Amino acid sequence: MLYLQNFAKSYSGHRVLEIPRLEFSPGVYWIKGENGSGKSTLFKSLAGMHPCQGSIRFADGISLHEHPVAFRRHVNYAEAEPVYPGFLTARDLLHFVGKAKKSPPQQREALTNRFGINTYAENSCETYSSGMLKKVSLALAFLGTPRLIILDEPLITLDESARKILFELIKRYITEYNAIILLSSHQLLEDSSLTINQTLIIQHKTLQPV
Amino acid sequence: MNTPVTIASKVFIRTFYLENASFFLLVLGVAGGFMRDVEHIALAEFFVRKPYLVLIPFAFWILYGFKILSFNTACLEKPQNQFFYQLVFFSRGIRFMISGLIILTQFMPAILYGFFLMATAVKHTVYDSFFVVIGSLIVPVLALVIQFMRLIHNPDQGKKTSLLIRKMNRTIIRPYPLFAIEWLSRKKTLMLLGTKAFGVLMLLAVAKLYTTGEYDFRLMGMALTVISGASAQLMFEIHRFDNHHFALVRQLPITCWKRISSLLVSILFLILPEAGIFITYYPADLSSPEMIQGIVFFVTILFFWYALLYRKNMDQEAFMKIVFWESMLIFVLILFRVPVWGIACVAFLAAVFRMSTYYYRFEYGTTTYRD
């Protein structure tokens, strides 16, 4: 379980998002919202990339602000449009992030093969297409033993087979690790074979059930 | 015809001169500040005395040509400028004219100096040199125009990783502390080389200042302060890399001490040229513990500059102002015999405090609300 209480995010003193109270249990949550509504802001705040206010904690008490390292170990995030330094290879990234997330080499290798990254893992990121970059970012999001996986627009630029792999992985991580999946997508998820726990929408600077 | 010319001047010419303003100011400063009119004339006369001597300014023009080429390539790769590829729909003649106009305007400083050399050659009736100067100007301009047209005609040439690099990537996994250094060496090459050259020359000069009298370690301390002040811009770029270009690292479960130790390793790699010169040319009068003190002091001050950037968002100008005043303070402290190790300790503790207090509170540069 993940608990949000009095969550607030401001930019230059201007409040852009406020969530008084919200709970997430293992499963998939579809976060909707218009462009600019604050989906990525929410995701980046929950992932610990952007500072925010309020309490964000797991059921065992591990909290974003009180246990920044432990919390980050259990939260993985894949950006909508991932960009990595051009000289790094997928192998470098998987090794570095994998080590930080305490992911065993077998898991890294399995994810690399699953997404078909192994064919280009030794090439520099600057040579990748947007779809290839997306696969790398998704593979990174499944490293370790995440309790919360945040996927910002995971379907864009992704081919059909990679989508199937992604949905399979999501289902497996929910069953194996009791993972909470927060997912934003402008594409329809109804026909994705995923069971959606709840659909939420960011409207009027807050997140609420549809 | 007017529209593409206006667009070209805005995208390629104005931006080129604006982005390289500090470079041109430096060149003007060196040319105007250190040399008088007669010296300029004497230098030009030397260049045109023999045709092969024209190769000296020609070498500089080639380097300048590379600068233009790398700017134009980077400019065309930017998503906001990719509309310029539409130029391919114009006739070859118009494409050539627009490309020529862009290159000629960008190459203008070299052309103007070339005219000065030509006038000098005519004055001294050295017509061989006169024609060599013309050729030395035409060759890079023409090469740049052709290359520019090639870039326009072949968008998205696709980058490839060579077999050798792939083999290296297979055997070597880049350690994290080298990420920022590699990024600096690829993206901020001139800044890195310039700062390193400055540091090395400064240390050489200071080490050789008193070869006869007794050497005062404070002088070394002050030199290191100046070099660390100049290197602060590199720390600004590393901070930008860690929080913007590779912001992913903020999301990773890495302890504060690990982040600090990785940074210190990066700094150690970064200061290798200066450290090498410092150790090699270290004055014989000074002791080994002082030498270690000097290196620790240098590393610590760079760490201090980096940590300073977590207090609040600031642009390079604001940052360099703070660096200037704090460097002055350190300078005065050293002058008044405050031990260098003491300053290093205080700077280290302040930097650790800043990193541990503000790292997670810090947000890079975004003042606008974005999805």
Side-chain angles (χ1 to χ4, degrees):
Chain A
M1 290 286 283
L2 178 76
Y3 301 98
L4 263 71
Q5 211 167 354
N6 298 326
F7 170 89
K9 174 69 196 163
S10 307
Y11 283 119
S12 313
H14 172 62
R15 187 63 53 91
V16 293
L17 207 52
E18 231 169 345
I19 305 168
R21 198 184 170 85
L22 205 60
E23 289 178 13
F24 297 97
S25 51
V28 179
Y29 290 83
W30 186 4
I31 313 292
K32 288 182 171 182
E34 289 173 7
N35 297 121
S37 58
K39 295 189 295 292
S40 299
T41 300
L42 171 70
F43 287 167
K44 282 183 179 172
S45 303
L46 293 182
M49 289 177 86
H50 284 184
C52 61
Q53 289 166 290
S55 160
I56 302 161
R57 63 179 175 83
F58 287 110
D60 61 358
I62 292 180
S63 129
L64 170 66
H65 294 118
E66 285 160 42
H67 316 96
V69 177
F71 185 87
R72 280 169 174 78
R73 184 158 296 131
H74 297 299
V75 180
N76 289 1
Y77 169 61
E79 280 194 85
E81 289 169 43
V83 183
Y84 302 111
F87 58 87
L88 290 179
T89 64
R91 196 160 162 264
D92 291 329
L93 285 165
L94 282 154
H95 182 263
F96 172 59
V97 177
K99 268 188 87 175
K101 297 273 180 187
K102 293 199 189 308
S103 153
Q106 301 91 306
Q107 187 192 36
R108 274 179 254 162
E109 209 181 309
L111 282 166
T112 310
N113 294 335
R114 202 84 183 87
F115 279 108
I117 298 167
N118 50 343
T119 55
Y120 57 88
E122 280 131 22
N123 296 351
S124 314
C125 282
E126 64 197 355
T127 64
Y128 297 176
S129 70
S130 48
M132 288 154 95
L133 273 175
K134 192 76 183 175
K135 285 179 186 174
V136 173
S137 89
L138 288 172
L140 295 177
F142 286 93
L143 288 173
T145 50
R147 294 185 200 174
L148 170 64
I149 301 177
I150 303 168
L151 306 172
D152 196 355
E153 293 291 347
L155 305 183
I156 48 169
T157 71
L158 216 57
D159 57 49
E160 196 53 43
S161 61
R163 280 182 195 205
K164 278 185 190 155
I165 293 160
L166 172 69
F167 294 144
E168 276 171 33
L169 276 171
I170 289 176
K171 282 185 231 167
R172 217 185 81 205
Y173 273 63
I174 293 170
T175 338
E176 280 181 23
Y177 303 119
N178 272 334
I180 300 162
I181 315 285
L182 299 187
L183 188 153
S184 77
S185 177
H186 290 297
Q187 280 143 302
L188 290 177
L189 286 176
E190 280 88 357
D191 56 350
S192 66
S193 79
L194 285 181
T195 312
I196 310 287
N197 261 16
Q198 197 178 12
T199 306
L200 299 147
I201 187 161
I202 299 186
Q203 241 175 2
H204 312 301
K205 297 181 182 178
T206 191
L207 183 64
Q208 56 200 19
V210 172
Chain B
M1 181 67 187
N2 278 342
T3 317
V5 169
T6 315
I7 292 171
S9 72
K10 278 184 180 167
V11 174
F12 292 97
I13 300 167
R14 202 165 69 182
T15 328
F16 175 74
Y17 283 104
L18 279 175
E19 275 189 22
N20 292 297
S22 48
F23 167 75
F24 289 115
L25 279 175
L26 184 76
V27 172
L28 278 176
V30 170
F34 294 104
M35 289 171 75
R36 289 171 296 154
D37 301 355
V38 280
E39 287 163 338
H40 278 294
I41 293 165
L43 187 68
E45 283 170 348
F46 168 74
F47 286 148
V48 296
R49 193 181 301 157
K50 297 274 179 208
Y52 64 83
L53 287 174
V54 177
L55 289 177
I56 300 170
F58 178 64
F60 283 100
W61 295 340
I62 292 291
L63 285 177
Y64 183 60
F66 275 115
K67 192 174 173 64
I68 292 174
L69 180 66
S70 83
F71 172 84
N72 289 344
T73 313
C75 208
L76 271 171
E77 276 176 5
K78 284 181 186 167
Q80 68 266 32
N81 293 338
Q82 291 193 352
F83 69 92
F84 207 78
Y85 287 118
Q86 310 279 337
L87 195 71
V88 82
F89 296 116
F90 287 84
S91 72
R92 186 182 281 266
I94 292 179
R95 278 205 315 267
F96 184 78
M97 273 173 65
I98 293 170
S99 309
L101 184 80
I102 292 169
I103 300 299
L104 277 174
T105 322
Q106 289 176 327
F107 209 69
M108 197 46 80
I111 294 172
L112 289 176
Y113 192 71
F115 282 150
F116 173 54
L117 289 184
M118 281 191 270
T120 313
V122 169
K123 190 179 155 192
H124 294 276
T125 62
V126 200
Y127 293 108
D128 294 358
S129 299
F130 175 81
F131 289 114
V132 175
V133 173
I134 293 178
S136 303
L137 286 172
I138 290 174
V139 169
V141 168
L142 213 58
L144 283 168
V145 172
I146 293 167
Q147 181 58 20
F148 188 80
M149 287 178 73
R150 223 174 68 89
L151 283 173
I152 298 285
H153 214 266
N154 303 293
D156 194 21
Q157 291 178 41
K159 287 178 179 158
K160 282 182 185 157
T161 311
S162 70
L163 204 67
L164 179 73
I165 301 285
R166 265 177 34 211
K167 227 172 191 173
M168 276 170 64
N169 287 340
R170 203 172 300 150
T171 42
I172 304 163
I173 290 178
R174 285 173 179 78
Y176 172 60
L178 289 188
F179 286 9
I181 307 296
E182 187 161 355
W183 186 82
L184 271 180
S185 64
R186 281 165 180 258
K187 300 281 177 187
K188 300 284 167 189
T189 320
L190 278 178
M191 183 194 279
L192 184 66
L193 290 177
T195 316
K196 294 291 114 186
F198 172 76
V200 164
L201 290 174
M202 179 85 169
L203 277 174
L204 271 175
V206 171
K208 301 260 178 192
L209 257 184
Y210 297 109
T211 43
T212 47
E214 199 182 315
Y215 203 98
D216 189 338
F217 182 68
R218 287 181 299 164
L219 192 63
M220 231 7 141
M222 287 191 278
L224 288 171
T225 308
V226 174
I227 300 165
S228 70
S231 305
Q233 53 182 345
L234 295 178
M235 301 319 292
F236 183 87
E237 293 300 337
I238 292 180
H239 177 267
R240 187 172 154 78
F241 175 80
D242 286 344
N243 292 281
H244 180 63
H245 297 289
F246 198 51
L248 164 78
V249 79
R250 291 185 62 82
Q251 204 276 312
L252 297 181
I254 302 171
T255 58
C256 188
W257 281 110
K258 220 168 182 180
R259 287 182 199 273
I260 290 172
S261 54
S262 290
L263 175 75
L264 292 177
V265 175
S266 300
I267 294 175
L268 278 172
F269 273 106
L270 193 68
I271 64 152
L272 275 178
E274 288 97 332
I277 294 292
F278 185 71
I279 294 166
T280 315
Y281 294 94
Y282 192 67
D285 299 348
L286 300 176
S287 67
S288 301
E290 278 176 325
M291 181 166 79
I292 295 163
Q293 245 188 80
I295 291 173
V296 171
F297 171 75
F298 190 27
V299 172
T300 313
I301 297 298
L302 291 180
F303 172 39
F304 179 75
W305 298 144
Y306 176 87
L308 198 70
L309 288 157
Y310 282 102
R311 178 67 186 88
K312 62 173 186 176
N313 252 309
M314 53 182 121
D315 58 20
Q316 196 164 7
E317 203 185 324
F319 172 62
M320 290 312 283
K321 258 185 208 164
I322 298 175
V323 167
F324 174 78
W325 288 113
E326 298 207 4
S327 295
M328 292 303 277
L329 177 70
I330 297 171
F331 213 80
V332 172
L333 288 175
I334 293 174
L335 206 62
F336 281 94
R337 296 187 185 280
V338 174
V340 161
W341 62 263
I343 300 170
C345 281
V346 173
F348 183 78
L349 289 175
V352 170
F353 171 75
R354 274 213 186 98
M355 281 280 284
S356 53
T357 312
Y358 296 111
Y359 183 82
Y360 292 120
R361 291 188 210 169
F362 178 76
E363 185 162 3
Y364 190 85
T366 46
T367 47
T368 48
Y369 173 41
R370 286 184 301 173
D371 177 36

